[in-house]
Amino acid sequence: MKTLIALLRAVNVGGTGKMPMADLRHLAEEVGFHEVRTYIQSGNLIFATKKTPSDAKLLLEQKLDSYAAKPVGVIVRTAQEMKQVLEANPFPDAEPSKVGVLFLDHAPPPDIIETAKGQADEVIQPGKREVYVHYPSGMGRTKLRLTAASQGTVRNINTVSKLVKMATDA
């Protein structure tokens, strides 16, 4: 069995997509995942499975679709991939709460920086299947819009770090 991390899109953020984490854990157990845990109320799921990451993603998306009666986007990473995301942080000296990682299923578009809207003091750095953004003035104040954001989900470095720790402690 391998440990995987699933990141749900638009769950319990800004009053939309309400989903109790107990329900998420229950759904994950119903599809056959083991050692199921969640972290904070924003759709972070850690679990063990023999399934591939893509099969686990599909199972979880299908179960969530039934639960929510609408599609719920899911990004899945192995524990090792999440650790690599943390290690590749191009802003290691920045306050972790001011560095966001946009997780995607694919490589970011090559024009991700050029097509950004509302950029002020934010610094954007594409990664393998993620986009790192340093928000010197804070994530809550930003007007930055990345076109790829509609296909992914953002977590700050504090959350990424905690997910790595939870996944490697499993």
Side-chain angles (χ1 to χ4, degrees):
M1 289 225 207
K2 62 184 146 288
T3 301
L4 299 180
I5 301 165
L7 308 171
L8 279 60
R9 287 195 71 239
V11 171
N12 292 328
V13 177
T16 63
K18 295 286 184 188
M19 176 181 224
M21 293 300 97
D23 288 1
L24 177 57
R25 288 189 298 273
H26 181 72
L27 293 173
E29 289 167 349
E30 281 185 347
V31 297
F33 300 154
H34 304 276
E35 302 172 38
V36 175
R37 292 155 290 146
T38 54
Y39 175 65
I40 63 176
Q41 288 292 122
S42 60
N44 303 298
L45 181 71
I46 302 102
F47 58 94
T49 184
K50 291 181 181 177
K51 303 258 182 228
T52 65
S54 58
D55 286 345
K57 171 187 167 67
L58 183 61
L59 270 175
L60 197 52
E61 284 180 335
Q62 289 171 342
K63 193 67 170 177
L64 287 164
D65 186 58
S66 296
Y67 173 90
K70 65 178 183 179
V72 176
V74 178
I75 303 289
V76 175
R77 295 289 194 270
T78 66
Q80 183 60 34
E81 287 171 330
M82 191 64 83
K83 184 178 180 201
Q84 290 169 350
V85 167
L86 184 61
E87 291 170 349
N89 173 14
F91 310 109
D93 297 327
E95 187 177 326
S97 65
K98 292 184 176 182
V99 177
V101 182
L102 170 61
F103 289 90
L104 302 165
D105 280 330
H106 47 76
D111 62 350
I112 189 83
I113 296 171
E114 293 80 12
T115 59
K117 304 284 186 217
Q119 188 173 3
D121 59 352
E122 301 87 359
V123 182
I124 304 164
Q125 180 65 49
K128 289 181 183 178
R129 288 187 297 157
E130 51 281 325
V131 178
Y132 298 86
V133 182
H134 179 215
Y135 299 89
S137 299
M139 291 175 77
R141 297 177 182 257
T142 189
K143 303 286 187 221
L144 179 67
R145 298 291 169 260
L146 300 174
T147 54
S150 65
Q151 301 160 16
T153 188
V154 176
R155 300 297 187 274
N156 71 32
I157 288 293
N158 284 328
T159 297
V160 173
S161 180
K162 181 63 175 181
L163 292 171
V164 167
K165 181 170 179 10
M166 289 175 73
T168 55
D169 286 351

